Amino acid sequence: MTSQRPIVALLILCMLLLSNPVVAADSAERFLSETSYLNYSHPLVSDLLESIDQPSELDRARARLLHDYVRDAIPFGFSKPFYDMSASDVLRAGRGFANNKATLLIALLRGAGIPARHKFVSLSSGVLTGLLGTGGPFLDHSLVEIYLEGRWIAFDSFVTDRAFFWGAQALIGSDLGFGVRRGGSIEWDGQSESYSQYHPDYVEFEFGVYDDIGQFYASAEGVNNRLGFATTIAYALGIGSANEKIESIRKYGQQLLEEREREY
């Protein structure tokens, strides 16, 4: 029994360290770094940040502002580089899906001095039913985790722009499809988890936290969508029709929003 005491003491010490906000803050500093994907010093990204950030506001309000910008100013859609895009690439493309919109949002948050990171999960590919085939039952999906007020908060409410989201919600015939989850949300209050696509019931497993999407695909095991010759060709052939469907759903969603505004 006596020999177990040092082990128990060590475990208690580890728990205390993990729960210590000072230690957590030190760990969060790692997630302010710039990478080749999270290239927030690139003129496209830094100029955008300068134009929309409000440094005098609290970090929560600044984070919400950046979230809403990425959600609506970068409409949901697909580009030929697929996930292999830096933040500046996403801005040039002018559209994105979960993984590259996450890249842009994380870069903006880090550029604003707010720690943020990718958390990847294996999510049911049913979420893209009606838009794009992925070649398997699951796909690689990035949540964004942001460090605010001493804790990490996860969300993917930035993925679909407002008009597309409401059009897809009106059309969806099951729990997942057309890029959304029934009952999902695109609103984020800066302090709670919020998800438009993710739900634990539709997750095969969690990959964990990675520095950027490049590190994820270079080192993670069991990924679903790593680009190769065949997958690159298949993806390039499929995104044209997918984007046409997305634009049609967006127009329908815009009509619904305008009708709702007239009612009020």
Side-chain angles (χ1 to χ4, degrees):
M1 186 72 176
T2 303
S3 63
Q4 294 180 352
R5 288 178 181 172
I7 298 175
V8 173
L10 181 60
L11 290 172
I12 292 173
L13 177 60
C14 289
M15 292 174 65
L16 289 173
L17 288 173
L18 288 171
S19 64
N20 188 321
V22 176
V23 174
D26 288 342
S27 175
E29 291 297 312
R30 164 190 167 192
F31 298 102
L32 287 172
S33 299
E34 186 170 18
T35 75
S36 60
Y37 286 90
L38 307 174
N39 57 341
Y40 55 73
S41 64
H42 189 284
L44 283 177
V45 184
S46 60
D47 289 352
L48 172 63
L49 185 59
E50 185 177 356
S51 70
I52 61 176
D53 188 22
Q54 297 180 6
S56 62
E57 296 290 334
L58 296 175
D59 282 353
R60 181 191 299 176
R62 297 170 68 208
R64 288 186 65 191
L65 184 68
L66 296 174
H67 166 279
D68 291 354
Y69 178 88
V70 172
R71 181 191 65 199
D72 292 324
I74 308 297
F76 180 71
F78 301 96
S79 299
K80 286 185 179 180
F82 195 29
Y83 63 77
D84 194 23
M85 301 174 72
S86 67
S88 58
D89 291 334
V90 179
L91 286 176
R92 286 193 192 95
R95 63 186 172 201
F97 69 107
N99 295 352
N100 38 40
K101 290 186 75 168
T103 290
L104 176 58
L105 180 53
I106 292 168
L108 290 170
L109 289 165
R110 291 190 184 189
I114 302 172
R117 63 193 188 186
H118 289 276
K119 181 178 181 180
F120 287 94
V121 302
S122 182
L123 182 69
S124 171
S125 60
V127 72
L128 293 183
T129 296
L131 297 180
L132 183 68
T134 64
F138 294 94
L139 53 81
D140 306 319
H141 178 71
S142 177
L143 310 176
V144 167
E145 288 192 335
I146 183 172
Y147 189 76
L148 285 174
E149 299 176 357
R151 63 192 180 94
W152 288 101
I153 306 166
F155 53 91
D156 74 0
S157 42
F158 58 88
V159 174
T160 55
D161 54 282
R162 187 177 299 279
F164 174 79
F165 177 81
W166 287 112
Q169 286 287 336
L171 294 172
I172 190 172
S174 59
D175 288 344
L176 297 174
F178 297 110
V180 299
R181 174 178 59 82
R182 186 190 298 277
S185 176
I186 57 171
E187 306 299 333
W188 184 56
D189 61 8
Q191 57 186 344
S192 308
E193 295 183 359
S194 182
Y195 303 110
S196 62
Q197 295 183 333
Y198 168 88
H199 190 282
D201 288 351
Y202 302 106
V203 170
E204 180 187 24
F205 57 84
E206 297 185 355
F207 293 103
V209 171
Y210 289 82
D211 289 339
D212 60 26
I213 198 164
Q215 186 202 34
F216 171 67
Y217 278 107
S219 61
E221 297 182 1
V223 300
N224 300 288
N225 307 123
R226 184 178 283 116
L227 286 176
F229 178 77
T231 52
T232 300
I233 295 299
Y235 178 74
L237 292 173
I239 63 171
S241 61
N243 286 331
E244 289 178 2
K245 293 174 186 175
I246 289 168
E247 187 56 33
S248 176
I249 293 170
R250 181 174 291 117
K251 289 179 180 178
Y252 177 53
Q254 187 60 43
Q255 292 175 1
L256 295 177
L257 290 173
E258 290 172 359
E259 290 173 5
R260 184 180 302 175
E261 289 177 2
R262 286 195 292 268
E263 290 175 358
Y264 290 98

